[in-house]
Amino acid sequence: MNAFEQELREALRSAYDFGSEYPHPLLITRIYAELERPVPQHHRREWVGGAAAAALAVVVVVTLLWFSFQPRVSTPISSGPPPSGPEAGTAAILANNHLVYLTPGDIQPYWDLALADPPDLKVSHGYAGLGHRIAATPDGALIYALPARDMNGGSELAVVATQSSAERLIQLPDHNATARYGAVSVGPSGDAWIVGSVDKHIEIVRFHRQEGTITSWSGRDMAHWVPQGPVGGDYQIYEVQVTNDEQRVYYSYTGGLLSFAGMDWVDISGQRATTCTPPAADQACIKGLAGFLVRGNDVFITTASDQPTGAIDQYGLDGTLKDHIELGLLSGFLEDFALGPDRNHIYFFGSCGYSGGMAALDLTSRTANVIIHAQPAYSTLTNHPCGQSSAFVSDTLIALGRVSALLPGYGAGQILFVDSSNGRLVRSVPVTSEPIAVVAIH
Amino acid sequence: MDGPSEEDLIQSARSGDKLAYEQLLRPNLPSAARLARVLLGGPGEAEDAVQEAAIRGWKKLDNLRAGAKFQPWFLGIVVRQVRSIQRDRWWTTIRLPELSSLEPGAQDKALQGEDLRRAISKLPPSQREAVLMHFYLDQRIQDVATSLGLSQAAVKSRINRALRQLRVSVATKDLL
């Protein structure tokens, strides 16, 4: 062996020094337990064997008891057959940074995965949800999630296999430890598009699913946005959507400076990201509150101008306000909505902390239909659908993250399944913490 | 020699003695896990691969030729399991060391290790496996050949090609 080979041998030992504790001392126990298993099954890492097996059994029993003693608030508002059409799975990210997955018809999570430590819930805008976000690939195989460090989001992307819950945490660009990513979406390619704030400018990130690589672009400078008041924090990226050709990325942001909030977009061309031109340096290209939908050349966006009732604005992409549509609900920061399967109706739920209620908007006729009337002090009612984030999981069934007060909390939460035609609560699924964002897994 | 020989353990394991199989596995798990971890990148995924390989090995013990050594045979199963995972996998990640948290001298070492890891990762899989088994796990060429199902000449050829590429990829004067 020559000197180079000897040096290579030593360098390899140094480069791949995993310490004396690797592999895990229980690996042999785990293998032996697998050999003893009567029916071959595929599981994630499970330290079964000896005390670990006993501990696992205790956890299972306690979990089952916990679920069995959870208060059931799923008393149907009206009886009747279940909504038609096959149901998709549902995933939700909870306030405590757990990710849960429900198979169709589940009455408890199929799996519950802790992605990160719970975030700091003390600082908020006073009305907005936290920076947890979630999206699923078109084939339903993967869930992308952004666990939150605080109200503005986090700096890691969790990529989770839907069936097995195998996960990877990927560090997103984080210069000077200032990054807060608050929105994730998926393009037709299955790649994740993430938008955040880094050093006071917008950062757009594409996670390439096949290659496992990340591309990022620096976007608009947001230095004009000054954190407001003791609970104001900074601006919060709320939502991102990408066009079918994945060349344009729309994103919205919100926060204490509501007059600055709204939606921008960037056009991606190679290494260049060109931001839309706003009417003024401190204005958004499209003024709005949070959730939005781009439909042709029109943008439907939630609005802070929701007096006397909850409302939505329709803009052209040139920034022209085309319509201000009253939804017939009471005011109270309607932030989000779900696009119906016909792609012509969007469905709103009032915040449980404000006035609740449910309405549908026909995007073509721009007429709203109140399905459940809003009521003041709605939060005292527990058997009616209310919340923020929602998604259609079948032709007629909406999964809704119920947040019981103005802001999400660590207390036990529920994912509600609501019949979109009449607002009937079909079932509810208890989860360990309040659900911040939900998505359908097709 | 204390205890049963490897051949005895193999014979007992073939007849269904799981404890004998465990005795065969135990001394080989560190090498198997280290190899899987280098090839796959993550500790959990590597241990999963070794676990799966161990179960496959149990089911295929009859394929182990009489008189053949257990370790090269088992490492071969590990390598095939790793390849299977790599085929199914859609992304990889390379975690960089936190340089700011290291002492100045240690920073150089970390950089060297990182550069070498990058160079190794750029090798074709067949060359990477051969190099790691021979130089990292200290496997003899004939054992590497057994594990990879190749002739010794083929293994030597792959290693030589890999070394040529490593010399180019890595500034050997500075890094090795």
Side-chain angles (χ1 to χ4, degrees):
Chain A
M1 182 177 296
N2 61 36
F4 174 80
E5 293 179 3
Q6 184 57 39
E7 288 174 9
L8 173 63
R9 189 181 296 275
E10 291 167 7
L12 283 170
R13 285 184 190 138
S14 173
Y16 298 116
D17 179 9
F18 303 126
S20 59
E21 283 299 301
Y22 185 81
H24 195 287
L26 282 178
L27 177 60
I28 187 68
T29 309
R30 177 179 141 196
I31 290 169
Y32 195 76
E34 279 296 321
L35 293 176
E36 289 289 312
R37 194 186 292 272
V39 180
Q41 292 179 5
H42 294 285
H43 283 281
R44 294 191 69 220
R45 292 183 297 283
E46 289 177 351
W47 296 109
V48 289
L56 184 64
V58 170
V59 168
V60 169
V61 169
V62 169
T63 304
L64 290 173
L65 286 172
W66 186 87
F67 278 117
S68 64
F69 283 103
Q70 284 302 296
R72 299 286 178 175
V73 296
S74 59
T75 307
I77 294 170
S78 60
S79 60
S84 61
E87 183 180 327
T90 303
I93 186 165
L94 313 180
N96 61 359
N97 277 333
H98 282 223
L99 183 67
V100 295
Y101 171 59
L102 284 61
T103 57
D106 258 354
I107 57 171
Q108 65 183 54
Y110 181 67
W111 50 253
D112 179 329
L113 181 66
L115 297 175
D117 291 337
D120 179 5
L121 293 181
K122 294 173 188 163
V123 178
S124 80
H125 299 302
Y127 64 89
L130 295 170
H132 314 62
R133 291 294 179 268
I134 187 173
T137 54
D139 61 7
L142 295 178
I143 301 167
Y144 297 118
L146 293 176
R149 279 194 209 169
D150 54 36
M151 58 164 287
N152 290 327
S155 60
E156 288 184 311
L157 172 71
V159 186
V160 182
T162 304
Q163 287 305 318
S164 68
S165 81
E167 64 161 316
R168 290 288 182 277
L169 279 178
I170 295 168
Q171 177 66 57
L172 298 169
D174 189 6
H175 318 302
N176 303 325
T178 61
R180 286 294 183 273
Y181 292 88
V184 59
S185 184
V186 177
S189 65
D191 292 357
W193 288 86
I194 306 115
V195 177
S197 169
V198 179
D199 281 343
K200 223 42 182 173
H201 69 258
I202 297 293
E203 188 85 0
I204 300 105
V205 177
R206 180 176 190 173
F207 173 73
H208 304 266
R209 172 184 178 178
Q210 295 297 334
E211 297 85 0
T213 56
I214 278 178
T215 309
S216 66
W217 297 264
S218 286
R220 182 179 177 182
D221 185 275
M222 299 291 282
H224 59 275
W225 197 298
V226 181
Q228 299 293 293
V231 296
D234 213 336
Y235 66 95
Q236 171 191 22
I237 305 294
Y238 189 84
E239 185 170 353
V240 56
Q241 293 176 17
V242 61
T243 51
N244 283 335
D245 61 5
E246 300 188 65
Q247 297 292 303
R248 174 175 284 189
V249 178
Y250 299 95
Y251 60 91
S252 64
Y253 45 94
T254 189
L257 289 172
L258 287 176
S259 59
F260 291 179
M263 188 197 87
D264 291 344
W265 61 88
V266 293
D267 288 311
I268 303 289
S269 176
Q271 295 183 343
R272 295 189 59 188
T274 307
T275 305
C276 58
T277 304
D282 60 359
Q283 297 291 307
C285 291
I286 300 289
K287 191 173 165 59
L289 175 63
F292 66 92
L293 169 70
V294 180
R295 190 172 186 252
N297 286 320
D298 288 338
V299 178
F300 295 89
I301 189 165
T302 55
T303 174
S305 305
D306 60 356
Q307 303 285 347
T309 80
I312 192 166
D313 285 339
Q314 181 187 4
Y315 282 88
L317 279 176
D318 59 359
T320 306
L321 178 61
K322 290 185 172 180
D323 205 349
H324 176 80
I325 308 163
E326 297 285 341
L327 298 171
L329 303 175
L330 294 176
S331 61
F333 297 110
L334 290 177
E335 287 184 336
D336 229 324
F337 51 82
L339 177 63
D342 66 357
R343 306 190 71 77
N344 189 49
H345 288 80
I346 51 180
Y347 291 76
F348 296 80
F349 293 91
S351 162
C352 306
Y354 283 94
S355 51
M358 177 182 176
L361 173 67
D362 184 317
L363 296 175
T364 303
S365 66
R366 301 199 294 275
T367 54
N369 171 36
V370 174
I371 299 170
I372 296 177
H373 287 282
Q375 300 175 40
Y378 203 81
S379 60
T380 57
L381 303 175
T382 58
N383 62 344
H384 285 64
C386 57
Q388 291 283 7
S389 180
S390 59
F392 269 83
V393 294
S394 78
D395 288 346
T396 56
L397 198 61
I398 302 175
L400 170 65
R402 187 179 195 281
V403 176
S404 61
L406 292 179
L407 292 169
Y410 291 153
Q414 294 154 341
I415 299 171
L416 308 181
F417 289 85
V418 180
D419 188 331
S420 61
S421 64
N422 56 17
R424 182 173 63 89
L425 191 57
V426 176
R427 73 179 193 275
S428 76
V429 175
V431 286
T432 56
S433 183
E434 295 198 314
I436 310 301
V438 299
V439 68
I441 308 290
H442 293 285
Chain B
M1 181 178 171
D2 294 331
S5 67
E6 182 174 284
E7 201 164 338
D8 291 340
L9 289 172
I10 291 171
Q11 197 55 44
S12 299
R14 273 186 177 143
S15 59
D17 184 346
K18 289 172 184 166
L19 283 175
Y21 187 61
E22 182 188 333
Q23 283 184 268
L24 285 167
L25 274 182
R26 190 180 287 275
N28 292 300
L29 285 183
S31 294
R34 283 162 59 209
L35 178 64
R37 182 161 174 182
V38 172
L39 292 173
L40 288 170
E45 198 171 30
E47 290 184 356
D48 285 350
V50 172
Q51 174 177 318
E52 190 61 31
I55 293 165
R56 285 170 186 254
W58 169 252
K59 293 174 181 171
K60 294 181 181 297
L61 266 175
D62 286 341
N63 294 349
L64 181 56
R65 285 185 289 107
K69 291 198 297 183
F70 181 79
Q71 187 185 48
W73 177 79
F74 178 58
L75 288 178
I77 299 175
V78 171
V79 168
R80 287 193 290 279
Q81 181 63 24
V82 165
R83 289 176 189 163
S84 170
I85 292 172
Q86 287 171 328
R87 274 196 300 273
D88 294 342
R89 193 162 68 175
W90 31 266
W91 69 283
T92 58
T93 185
I94 298 174
R95 289 199 179 276
L96 298 173
E98 297 290 339
L99 295 182
S100 60
S101 64
L102 299 175
E103 294 297 320
Q107 286 190 15
D108 293 340
K109 196 174 177 183
L111 280 173
Q112 288 175 14
E114 184 54 37
D115 286 346
L116 179 59
R117 285 192 289 268
R118 285 185 188 280
I120 291 287
S121 72
K122 288 178 182 173
L123 292 174
S126 61
Q127 293 179 24
R128 184 164 59 240
E129 292 162 1
V131 162
L132 289 169
M133 295 182 83
H134 183 53
F135 290 106
Y136 179 54
L137 297 187
D138 290 331
Q139 296 285 298
R140 295 181 307 166
I141 293 290
Q142 65 188 75
D143 289 340
V144 177
T146 301
S147 294
L148 299 182
L150 299 169
S151 67
Q152 292 188 45
V155 170
K156 286 178 183 171
S157 170
R158 287 173 194 217
I159 287 176
N160 286 335
R161 285 202 299 273
L163 292 181
R164 278 200 297 275
Q165 186 168 330
L166 282 175
R167 285 177 195 270
V168 173
S169 300
V170 179
T172 54
K173 183 180 174 184
D174 296 326
L175 299 176
L176 292 177

